[in-house]
Amino acid sequence: RALGLGGKGALDFDILTKGACTEIDDVDDAEDFEDLKKAMADVGIAEEERGDIWRLLAALMHLGNLKLEEGEGGRSEVSAPSGEELLASLLGCDFSAVRSAVCVRQVRSGRGSLMSMNLDPGQARQGVEALIKHCYGSLFHFLVKKINQSHALTMDAPSFIGILDIFGFEIMNYNSLSQLCINFANEKLQQQFNQQVFVREKELYQEEGIPTDVISFKDNQHVIDLISAKPNGILPLLEEAGMLSRAVPPSQLVSSFNKQHADTHANYAKARFGDEDFVIKHFAGDVLYSGKELIPKNNDSLHSDLRILLGGSESDFIVNVCTEFEREGKSGYVPKTAEEEAAEKEEEERQEMMKGKRASQTQQLASKHTVTSKFRGQLDNLVATLTATEPHYIKCIKPNGSKSASTANDKLVLEQLRYSGVLEVVRIRREGFPLRMSFADFHKRFEILCFKDGFASSKKADESEAERAAAHICAKCLNADEYAKGTTKMFLRNGLLEKLTALVNEVYASMATRLQSRQRTNVAKRGFAATKMSTVKLQNLQRMLAKKREFGRQKRATVTAQTFLRGQTERRRFAHKKEAAIKIEGLVRGRQASEGYKKTKASIKLQSRMRSQWAARDLKRSKKAQAKIGAIVRGKQGRDTWRRTRELVVQLQALERRRERRNSFRVKREGAVKLESAFRMHRQADEFKGQKEAAIKLQSVGRAKAGREEYERQQAAALLLHNNVRRFLAMAKLEHKKLGLFSGRKRRQNSVLFKPQGDYLSARDDDALKAELKAKNGAEDAEVEIKFADAIEKYNRKGKRQDRNVVLTRKHIYFLDGKKVKSHYDIIAGQLEGCNLSKMADDFLSFSIKDDRDILVTCQHKTELVQLISEAVMAETRTEFPVSCVDSFEVKTYGSGFSRSALETFSAEFWEDASVPAKEKWRLKISKDGKTFTVSVSPTLVTEASHPLGTPRAAKFNIMVGGRPPSVSQASAEAGKGKGRTMTGLHIRDNLSAFSSKSIASIRSATSSAGSKSEAGK
């Protein structure tokens, strides 16, 4: 809250949203902030200094939100959305001082006098951004100093370890000063890397006693000289152009580069397109640089007013960190190191030397600090440090750009290998002897090549024996220029290792062939012996099987004979036993039959007795059942007879009672009829009185309603007749304007007078509608003046009607759907080419649009709208607005389906049709092909009036004189002579003589019919 950050997020500050990314997934800002505070405490940043850091960062964020607008006299006006007092308290100065430093700049003239120059909002915004950048950079250097101070080593430390992390060359779609500095640094570091690799190779060759002229070093010093060499390098020319008092355009700066290097330097080229770009051929490839922002980005300095503002701050931290002044012992003070003091002393001596002698303008300009000069100084110090140390390199290769596992982008990997110099190292190694092996390893690996030459085995050979064996192998198998013998190693050209390996494989293959032939002989011998032994065994087995088959055949024959003999004997024995059994069975069946007959006779007698007993018992039961059934039947018949008798008695009783009731009802009904007749008589008398009163009321209401309807018809007829006359007058004025028919004539008393209202939608008081018009049309006036507004109906080619509103301003006409602008046209610029309307009393109006389809609408006040458009065109352009009054005209529109891009035309035709009533005014009919609109218009507008047109509304508009009867009006109209004619109380000026006789006759006939109907109505 004290910093003005309460309740706000990163999106509320402009300088935090430049990168379009304020959140990162899986990152907890609160947790990272706690880790940051802990780390700052660990490196020795006190609590007071941490609070000052937060205040400075908050002040920079609020500075980024300053609103700069152009005020009076071109001076910028500044306002702080977060509060002027809050920003002033964070910066430790008054807000008026901030306003003055941002909006006004003190410039020293050639004579030494100071002049105040007001800055426009763009220049003021550049100053604010430079102030933010300067303060943020100073805060970064302060943190670096504090970290180095906490990690500082003692002066007697024997060595140190430094880590330099750099990505590599940058080749982007848009390359500016940042990419130029980064690529220049990579050129320097690549040169240092190549030198280190070349030096190591050279030292190794010298140690082994091998000539070093076999390898070459690709030096990129010419590219470095192109960028940084004085006086015509890219960076010196840029610094010189940036220090001039006048502004140097980018094309002029690039032209100076082209003039110095385009035809003289192989690593510089002009851009193919544009005069503000140039190309530098770097170690890693060609890079196209833009010169548009080189000078502004290089001049990274504050003007004196902003430096004075920071120096006058009440905050000790801001003064110590952001200015060259020091407040020792206060917040933000960091003691200078010996190197910094030596550098300041050297700078002071250089300044004194510049004061002691008159320096050239270029030297004076070069004495100022720029981004590139600082960068080159820091880069030279870095390269000097790397040269004085023993560097080791770790080349990191990014396999793909999507951070996916087990995926490699070949093109991306190849570019990184080229940019990082790995391919150059490979080239240096391959130019010499890239394959190196010690004598012992070489003898052990290839000893098979000298096995027959009398050399000892590698396991038993000493160093000298291994050296002689290695030299013998190379002399035997390789050419003299393909290898080199060092003091401890053998050096081979690229690809020779594979050649020696192939020779070893050939020796092994020859030895393996001999071993295989002997082995195959032994195998064949063993196979023959095994085959012979198997053959003997098979023969023995075959003879044994033959004996077994013969024994089996004899055994089967013996068994068959024995079986036949045993069967014959058994058949005889079976026949003898069968005969004996048949005899025994006959005797047994005879005995059983005699015993069964006896048992059957006794059972028959028993059964007959039992059946007789059962029959007697059944007879007794049936008799009892017959007696019961007879009793039941007789009982049922008696009950039925009693029931029928009872029903007859009940019927007789009911008839008697009905007769008695009828007689009683007849007597009562006669009395009731008499009473009802008397009651109805009285009630009808009362109802008649009520109906009579209601009829009288209904008659009075009907007569009042008929009077109101008649009054409304008279009023509508008067207005329609008034519009018809006005339309005739407008048409006569358009057709006879050249004859001076209306020039210099004043309106006579009781002539046609119509007071236009203009705004029929109350649009002039609608601020929201005016804002919508200005938002949709940037060319609209600041103060929208609405001349006409009315509701209209728009028709398409199919006759479909759409409700719309039309608004006319001083220079534009708008067509709206409600309050939403659908289209607008500039009537002054000629977008509205003209309009078409008929000679009849319809409401149709067609606007011709330039290079677009026409707009067909109906408007009740179309004459007023056309008149206002004509007046606006005449007032602005001194030309007439084309208006055509015809009974047939064409309308442009888009075709349907796939032909909507082409304009087509359909015709609108207007006819008089007596079948169209005056109330309906007109009817629209569309042809089947959609190319003809036929509008049937009522030929008269007053035939429905049954009374004279002397209505209050007609008298209000001065189109009626009194309310004379139709007969008097007709007589006056026929007998009227002189300057005016009267038609049903309507006085028309002498200009009606310009109308055709047919038009006058139609008006007279309409008036006569109106008068006759009025008499009939009476």
Side-chain angles (χ1 to χ4, degrees):
R1 295 177 182 175
L3 302 179
L5 306 178
K8 296 182 178 180
L11 297 177
D12 297 323
F13 297 97
D14 294 341
I15 63 175
L16 300 182
T17 58
K18 298 296 184 181
C21 178
T22 58
E23 294 183 0
I24 302 176
D25 296 338
D26 301 329
V27 175
D28 189 350
D29 293 337
E31 182 179 355
D32 289 349
F33 184 69
E34 294 297 328
D35 296 339
L36 173 63
K37 292 193 295 184
K38 182 180 178 182
M40 294 174 73
D42 292 340
V43 298
I45 300 177
E47 181 69 26
E48 179 184 0
E49 291 181 335
R50 293 201 295 271
D52 291 333
I53 291 173
W54 311 144
R55 281 188 287 274
L56 178 56
L57 292 175
L60 297 183
M61 289 191 290
H62 291 306
L63 277 175
N65 287 352
L66 286 180
K67 301 298 182 182
L68 297 170
E69 299 177 353
E70 186 173 356
E72 298 180 358
R75 180 175 178 177
S76 300
E77 297 293 339
V78 61
S79 60
S82 57
E84 298 179 357
E85 295 181 358
L86 174 64
L87 181 58
S89 63
L90 293 175
L91 291 176
C93 57
D94 189 42
F95 189 77
S96 60
V98 177
R99 182 184 294 107
S100 176
V102 170
C103 300
V104 180
R105 183 174 182 179
Q106 301 292 333
V107 180
R108 186 175 298 276
S109 64
R111 298 181 179 180
S113 60
L114 293 176
M115 299 175 59
S116 297
M117 182 178 66
N118 293 329
L119 303 178
D120 58 32
Q123 295 172 338
R125 173 61 63 187
Q126 291 179 0
V128 172
E129 292 177 353
L131 178 62
I132 295 173
K133 186 175 181 180
H134 171 76
C135 294
Y136 193 80
S138 300
L139 179 59
F140 180 80
H141 290 304
F142 166 75
L143 294 175
V144 172
K145 289 181 181 179
K146 295 294 289 186
I147 294 172
N148 291 338
Q149 185 181 25
S150 65
H151 295 156
L153 299 174
T154 58
M155 295 302 295
D156 56 351
S159 60
F160 71 94
I161 297 176
I163 299 176
L164 174 63
D165 182 12
I166 186 167
F167 176 77
F169 284 89
E170 286 191 0
I171 303 177
M172 300 183 177
N173 295 330
Y174 179 80
N175 301 283
S176 186
L177 184 64
S178 301
Q179 285 71 36
L180 180 60
C181 292
I182 291 173
N183 293 340
F184 174 57
N186 279 279
E187 289 284 358
K188 294 281 288 185
L189 295 176
Q190 183 62 39
Q191 183 189 42
Q192 195 272 341
F193 173 72
N194 290 343
Q195 289 176 350
Q196 290 289 337
V197 173
F198 178 76
V199 168
R200 288 194 176 185
E201 287 287 297
K202 189 174 180 180
E203 291 177 352
L204 178 61
Y205 280 30
Q206 290 176 353
E207 291 178 358
E208 294 292 333
I210 299 174
T212 58
D213 55 354
V214 295
I215 58 175
S216 62
F217 169 56
K218 184 179 179 181
D219 195 1
N220 59 342
Q221 182 62 41
H222 49 286
V223 182
I224 298 173
D225 293 339
L226 170 65
I227 298 174
S228 63
K230 295 181 180 181
N232 297 326
I234 300 295
L235 298 183
L237 291 176
L238 174 62
E239 294 166 5
E240 182 177 352
M243 294 305 169
L244 296 178
S245 58
R246 61 182 177 85
V248 178
S251 59
Q252 182 178 348
L253 175 64
V254 176
S255 178
S256 65
F257 294 163
N258 296 336
K259 182 179 179 181
Q260 294 293 336
H261 306 292
D263 300 328
T264 59
H265 206 288
N267 292 85
Y268 182 90
K270 293 182 179 179
R272 294 181 60 188
F273 305 102
D275 57 351
E276 296 181 354
D277 300 333
F278 59 96
V279 178
I280 296 179
K281 299 179 180 180
H282 286 284
F283 173 84
D286 298 350
V287 182
L288 177 65
Y289 294 99
S290 174
K292 293 181 179 180
E293 299 179 351
L294 290 181
I295 295 177
K297 290 184 177 181
N298 192 34
N299 293 338
D300 186 19
S301 60
L302 295 177
H303 59 77
S304 58
D305 301 271
L306 295 176
R307 292 185 180 276
I308 294 173
L309 174 67
L310 294 176
S313 174
E314 296 178 359
S315 173
D316 297 330
F317 184 80
I318 292 178
V319 173
N320 284 329
V321 173
C322 301
T323 67
E324 63 272 13
F325 304 107
E326 294 182 354
R327 294 180 183 177
E328 188 174 353
K330 302 297 183 178
S331 176
Y333 175 74
V334 180
K336 296 180 180 179
T337 62
E339 292 80 0
E340 292 176 345
E341 293 179 353
E344 288 185 359
K345 185 176 180 181
E346 182 180 353
E347 180 65 20
E348 291 177 358
E349 292 177 355
R350 190 177 67 86
Q351 293 292 339
E352 290 295 333
M353 182 182 65
M354 294 296 293
K355 292 179 180 179
K357 59 181 181 180
R358 188 173 183 178
S360 63
Q361 182 179 4
T362 304
Q363 291 173 336
Q364 291 177 1
L365 293 175
S367 64
K368 299 181 181 180
H369 287 288
T370 60
V371 172
T372 54
S373 62
K374 295 178 182 178
F375 182 79
R376 283 189 292 142
Q378 296 173 358
L379 183 60
D380 291 339
N381 294 334
L382 174 62
V383 173
T385 302
L386 292 175
T387 305
T389 58
E390 182 181 357
H392 300 271
Y393 301 93
I394 299 176
K395 299 295 184 179
C396 300
I397 303 300
K398 188 176 181 181
N400 56 75
S402 59
K403 299 181 180 179
S404 302
S406 302
T407 303
N409 188 335
D410 298 342
K411 183 178 179 181
L412 178 62
V413 172
L414 180 60
E415 289 178 354
Q416 294 179 77
L417 291 174
R418 183 181 294 110
Y419 296 166
S420 60
V422 174
L423 297 183
E424 180 63 18
V425 175
V426 173
R427 185 193 64 80
I428 294 175
R429 294 288 295 270
R430 293 184 65 174
E431 282 186 355
F433 300 96
L435 303 177
R436 298 92 184 267
M437 298 179 66
S438 64
F439 296 137
D441 293 338
F442 191 88
H443 183 209
K444 181 179 180 180
R445 184 168 184 176
F446 303 108
E447 65 176 334
I448 192 66
L449 299 178
C450 62
F451 182 74
K452 297 181 179 180
D453 297 334
F455 292 96
S457 174
S458 59
K459 296 181 180 180
K460 301 178 180 180
D462 55 6
E463 187 67 23
S464 60
E465 187 70 18
E467 180 180 355
R468 289 189 302 103
H472 177 75
I473 293 172
C474 291
K476 178 182 178 181
C477 303
L478 304 176
N479 298 327
D481 58 345
E482 292 181 343
Y483 71 96
K485 176 177 172 296
T487 57
T488 61
K489 299 178 181 179
M490 291 298 298
F491 291 78
L492 303 177
R493 294 284 187 184
N494 185 41
L496 296 183
L497 183 62
E498 291 79 3
K499 181 178 180 180
L500 293 176
T501 304
L503 294 175
V504 170
N505 292 335
E506 290 179 1
V507 175
Y508 284 132
S510 177
M511 297 175 67
T513 302
R514 289 195 297 270
L515 291 174
Q516 289 173 359
S517 63
R518 292 186 179 182
Q519 180 64 22
R520 283 195 292 269
T521 301
N522 296 331
V523 171
K525 289 181 179 181
R526 288 195 295 271
F528 175 76
T531 302
K532 182 178 180 181
M533 185 177 296
S534 299
T535 302
V536 173
K537 290 182 178 180
L538 287 174
Q539 291 174 354
N540 296 333
L541 181 61
Q542 179 64 24
R543 285 192 292 271
M544 180 190 69
L545 291 176
K547 293 294 182 181
K548 287 181 68 175
R549 285 195 296 272
E550 181 63 23
F551 174 76
R553 185 183 63 77
Q554 295 177 358
K555 183 179 179 180
R556 286 193 297 275
T558 303
V559 170
T560 301
Q562 292 175 355
T563 303
F564 179 76
L565 292 175
R566 284 196 296 271
Q568 189 176 10
T569 303
E570 291 296 329
R571 282 195 294 273
R572 293 194 198 99
R573 188 180 296 139
F574 173 73
H576 178 70
K577 290 181 178 180
K578 183 177 180 181
E579 291 177 359
I582 290 171
K583 290 180 180 181
I584 293 172
E585 287 177 355
L587 295 175
V588 172
R589 281 196 295 269
R591 184 175 180 82
Q592 289 178 349
S594 60
E595 292 178 355
Y597 174 74
K598 294 177 182 180
K599 292 180 180 179
T600 301
K601 190 175 180 180
S603 63
I604 290 172
K605 291 180 180 180
L606 180 61
Q607 290 176 0
S608 63
R609 290 181 182 181
M610 290 298 298
R611 281 196 291 271
S612 62
Q613 290 179 0
W614 290 345
R617 186 180 59 188
D618 291 339
L619 179 62
K620 189 184 291 185
R621 289 180 179 175
S622 63
K623 288 181 178 180
K624 289 182 179 180
Q626 290 176 359
K628 289 182 179 180
I629 290 171
I632 292 171
V633 171
R634 287 191 295 273
K636 183 176 182 302
Q637 291 176 352
R639 285 194 297 274
D640 293 340
T641 302
W642 179 82
R643 189 180 298 107
R644 285 194 296 273
T645 304
R646 182 182 176 188
E647 290 177 354
L648 292 173
V649 173
V650 170
Q651 291 178 0
L652 290 174
Q653 292 176 352
L655 290 173
E656 182 64 22
R657 285 194 296 272
R658 190 180 299 117
R659 186 181 65 77
E660 292 177 355
R661 284 199 299 271
R662 278 200 299 270
N663 294 334
S664 176
F665 173 72
R666 190 178 296 108
V667 174
K668 293 180 181 179
R669 186 177 64 179
E670 291 176 355
V673 167
K674 294 179 179 179
L675 290 175
E676 287 177 355
S677 62
F679 176 75
R680 279 196 300 271
M681 181 181 65
H682 290 288
R683 186 176 64 183
Q684 289 176 355
D686 295 338
E687 288 179 354
F688 176 75
K689 291 180 182 179
Q691 290 176 357
K692 184 178 181 181
E693 294 176 356
I696 293 171
K697 291 181 181 180
L698 288 175
Q699 290 174 358
S700 61
V701 171
R703 284 193 293 273
K705 182 177 179 182
R708 284 195 300 272
E709 292 178 351
E710 184 64 26
Y711 172 75
E712 292 175 357
R713 285 196 296 272
Q714 291 180 4
Q715 186 179 12
L719 289 176
L720 292 174
L721 182 58
H722 166 64
N723 290 337
N724 195 12
V725 172
R726 285 177 56 249
R727 201 171 285 117
F728 282 143
L729 290 176
M731 188 172 63
K733 186 175 181 180
L734 292 173
E735 294 179 356
H736 303 285
K737 187 173 182 181
K738 294 182 179 180
L739 300 178
L741 206 58
F742 287 89
S743 60
R745 301 294 296 273
K746 297 183 179 180
R747 183 181 64 83
R748 296 180 55 195
Q749 186 178 4
N750 298 329
S751 63
V752 176
L753 175 63
F754 176 72
K755 184 178 180 180
Q757 181 177 349
D759 184 7
Y760 298 94
L761 299 177
S762 302
R764 292 169 181 164
D765 300 329
D766 194 343
D767 295 334
L769 176 59
K770 294 179 180 180
E772 174 69 12
L773 298 183
K774 289 193 289 184
K776 291 295 183 180
N777 186 6
E780 186 57 71
D781 297 338
E783 294 294 334
V784 180
E785 179 184 356
I786 296 179
K787 293 181 174 293
F788 182 83
D790 195 6
I792 63 174
E793 293 179 345
K794 180 177 176 294
Y795 289 82
N796 61 5
R797 64 176 293 129
K798 296 183 179 179
K800 185 177 180 181
R801 187 170 53 186
Q802 299 174 341
D803 293 333
R804 294 285 189 269
N805 295 330
V806 61
V807 175
L808 177 66
T809 62
R810 191 169 64 88
K811 295 182 180 180
H812 299 85
I813 185 170
Y814 299 86
F815 295 93
L816 301 88
D817 184 2
K819 291 188 178 181
K820 182 179 180 181
V821 176
K822 300 295 287 185
S823 60
H824 60 87
Y825 305 97
D826 192 338
I827 61 177
I828 306 304
Q831 290 185 349
L832 206 62
E833 295 181 337
C835 68
N836 299 316
L837 45 83
S838 72
K839 300 177 182 179
M840 302 181 186
D842 58 88
D843 296 332
F844 277 89
L845 178 63
S846 173
F847 289 103
S848 298
I849 308 301
K850 184 178 181 181
D851 299 330
D852 200 355
R853 61 181 178 182
D854 297 344
I855 299 178
L856 182 64
V857 300
T858 57
C859 178
Q860 294 184 357
H861 306 90
K862 67 176 183 179
T863 306
E864 180 181 353
L865 174 59
V866 174
Q867 179 181 358
L868 291 174
I869 294 175
S870 301
E871 292 175 355
V873 174
M874 177 61 71
E876 294 292 336
T877 64
R878 299 300 179 185
T879 58
E880 294 185 356
F881 179 68
V883 180
S884 176
C885 297
V886 294
D887 291 339
S888 177
F889 52 83
E890 291 185 347
V891 181
K892 296 182 298 182
T893 183
Y894 287 119
S896 60
F898 294 99
S899 62
R900 285 195 61 85
S901 60
L903 287 173
E904 299 179 357
T905 60
F906 67 89
S907 61
E909 300 178 356
F910 298 83
W911 305 89
E912 289 187 351
D913 189 353
S915 63
V916 179
K919 288 183 179 181
E920 192 173 352
K921 295 173 60 176
W922 49 267
R923 293 176 180 172
L924 176 63
K925 185 182 296 183
I926 304 173
S927 62
K928 292 184 179 180
D929 57 0
K931 294 186 177 181
T932 304
F933 276 36
T934 303
V935 182
S936 302
V937 186
S938 176
T940 177
L941 302 175
V942 296
T943 56
E944 296 297 325
S946 61
H947 294 289
L949 299 180
T951 59
R953 182 172 179 83
K956 178 180 178 182
F957 287 97
N958 284 334
I959 65 171
M960 300 293 299
V961 178
R964 291 176 291 177
S967 60
V968 177
S969 302
Q970 183 67 23
S972 301
E974 294 177 354
K977 295 181 179 180
K979 296 182 179 180
R981 294 184 179 183
T982 304
M983 295 183 298
T984 318
L986 175 63
H987 286 276
I988 304 178
R989 285 181 269 177
D990 291 338
N991 296 333
L992 283 175
S993 59
F995 292 173
S996 64
S997 59
K998 181 180 179 181
S999 302
I1000 299 297
S1002 65
I1003 296 176
R1004 287 180 176 178
S1005 63
T1007 308
S1008 299
S1009 62
S1012 61
K1013 288 194 176 183
S1014 300
E1015 292 296 335
K1018 289 182 180 180

